[in-house]
Amino acid sequence: MSNDTTTVGILSDSHGYLDPRVAEVVNACEVIIHAGDIFTGSVLDQLTPARELIAVAGNNDIPAVWSEDERERVNALPQKAEIHLPGGKLVIEHGHRLGNKPDHDQLRWDHAEARLVIYGHTHHQVIDQQESPWIVNPGASGKVRTHGGPSCLVLHADESDWVFETYRFPESEVA
């Protein structure tokens, strides 16, 4: 990795609770991406990237779920977002438009111009680098359906290399 490396903390599916260990990992990054199902502004308030926070709406990020005083905030969440990093473009969506188990081939087709597509929704951590664009899901960052414990990813991106670090924390230690 070069000195021009950008670190990106990637999380999803907090469902109103952000595990503090996940927050610690992603808050050490320049950019933080939340791939939806946030449930409350307090989750976003706990995310303090050095440079930028990008969050998209999940299927549960609707005014009826969020508190009345946060309706403007939830309505402002986009369905899709993108960011240009050294070495390529990254696209973020929650993935629920594709059903309960979003098809990676469909995500690749829909976002063929990207180097990486990030989605949430399934709560399963996945790093699929078999074809381009790569498809990743950070897993669940809260208490709901964590499939082995709260998790997140960190991407280290420079002009030539994109490398992931995976994090999964034991469920038994969740506060």
Side-chain angles (χ1 to χ4, degrees):
M1 290 279 131
S2 72
N3 289 339
D4 295 328
T5 300
T6 299
T7 57
V8 182
I10 305 168
L11 70 156
S12 187
D13 296 287
S14 302
H15 287 256
Y17 173 83
L18 177 59
D19 187 283
R21 297 164 297 180
V22 170
E24 183 178 359
V25 168
V26 299
N27 281 334
C29 298
E30 294 168 76
V31 176
I32 297 176
I33 292 170
H34 196 301
D37 275 2
I38 301 159
F39 266 68
T40 176
S42 68
V43 167
L44 295 176
D45 294 342
Q46 294 172 64
L47 300 174
T48 57
R51 193 171 86 205
E52 186 175 9
L53 171 62
I54 300 168
V56 298
N59 56 300
N60 290 298
D61 293 321
I62 56 175
V65 174
W66 286 46
S67 68
E68 192 170 325
D69 60 331
E70 294 185 318
R71 298 240 165 102
E72 251 182 69
R73 196 170 186 184
V74 69
N75 284 332
L77 293 171
Q79 295 298 308
K80 180 183 101 172
E82 50 187 61
I83 181 174
H84 291 273
L85 298 173
K89 180 166 80 169
L90 185 153
V91 175
I92 310 104
E93 68 166 85
H94 188 61
H96 60 285
R97 69 182 176 85
L98 297 174
N100 287 335
K101 190 170 188 231
D103 179 67
H104 289 194
D105 290 336
Q106 186 65 52
L107 287 167
R108 285 185 172 101
W109 174 264
D110 293 344
H111 307 295
E113 76 290 354
R115 181 168 180 175
L116 172 65
V117 178
I118 297 169
Y119 76 101
H121 193 53
T122 67
H123 296 225
H124 287 278
Q125 190 177 76
V126 173
I127 298 176
D128 177 354
Q129 296 174 294
Q130 294 189 16
E131 295 178 46
S132 184
W134 296 342
I135 309 291
V136 302
N137 185 323
S141 60
K143 294 179 180 179
V144 177
R145 294 190 319 276
T146 63
H147 302 288
S151 60
C152 63
L153 301 170
V154 173
L155 170 65
H156 300 272
D158 68 24
E159 284 295 333
S160 59
D161 292 319
W162 284 21
V163 177
F164 292 99
E165 284 181 84
T166 62
Y167 292 86
R168 178 167 307 279
F169 299 99
E171 284 183 277
S172 59
E173 298 175 18
V174 173

